[in-house]
Amino acid sequence: QVQLVESGGGSVQAGGSLRLSCAASGYSSDINYMGWFRQAPGKEREGVATIYLPFYQTYYADSVKGRFTISRDNAKNSVYLQMNSLKPEDTAMYYCAADSRSGAWPFFDRSKYNVWGQGTQVTVSS
């Protein structure tokens, strides 16, 4: 079965950058969609970015468009989230997720993603 491990989180000042990594292990040939989600204390988990792997198509939440970029590295079996111009409101636990079942793009429907990482904390100070 597939396992996901996130890394790259940390504490930065507003305007700074971080790059999150999500490494997949195990059988992953059926995974077509992956996504990044985040959850701040007291708030619902929200979608940040998704990627349709076979065609390298991406989709972003309005709040991060122009600042965040999701990408893939097939050789390393990894997906990344480059975060630039970080704001305090970006502070959250960030999770990587994979969908090994859906035919259609799940976008930010959390119920469609059946594999989740444990998360990596991102803290942005003013």
Side-chain angles (χ1 to χ4, degrees):
Q1 60 181 16
V2 177
Q3 290 184 296
L4 304 176
V5 179
E6 304 98 331
S7 62
S11 298
V12 298
Q13 295 180 346
S17 299
L18 286 172
R19 191 179 80 154
L20 306 184
S21 299
C22 175
S25 62
Y27 186 75
S28 60
S29 63
D30 291 333
I31 295 177
N32 287 327
Y33 309 99
M34 296 188 70
W36 285 97
F37 295 78
R38 66 186 182 186
Q39 186 169 20
K43 296 184 178 181
E44 292 289 315
R45 186 167 53 192
E46 63 179 358
V48 176
T50 68
I51 183 168
Y52 180 30
L53 295 172
F55 297 105
Y56 215 137
Q57 292 181 293
T58 59
Y59 180 82
Y60 298 92
D62 289 339
S63 60
V64 306
K65 285 182 179 179
R67 300 189 297 120
F68 291 10
T69 303
I70 187 171
S71 61
R72 71 181 184 190
D73 187 335
N74 291 340
K76 296 183 178 180
N77 206 24
S78 298
V79 172
Y80 306 95
L81 184 68
Q82 178 66 46
M83 305 184 294
N84 298 325
S85 301
L86 283 163
K87 304 175 181 179
E89 50 263 45
D90 295 319
T91 295
M93 184 73 74
Y94 283 71
Y95 299 90
C96 179
D99 176 8
S100 63
R101 302 171 299 185
S102 300
W105 199 343
F107 296 103
F108 295 147
D109 184 350
R110 299 195 305 270
S111 68
K112 301 296 184 179
Y113 294 87
N114 57 304
V115 183
W116 292 81
Q118 296 189 47
T120 184
Q121 178 67 40
V122 172
T123 302
V124 185
S125 60
S126 300

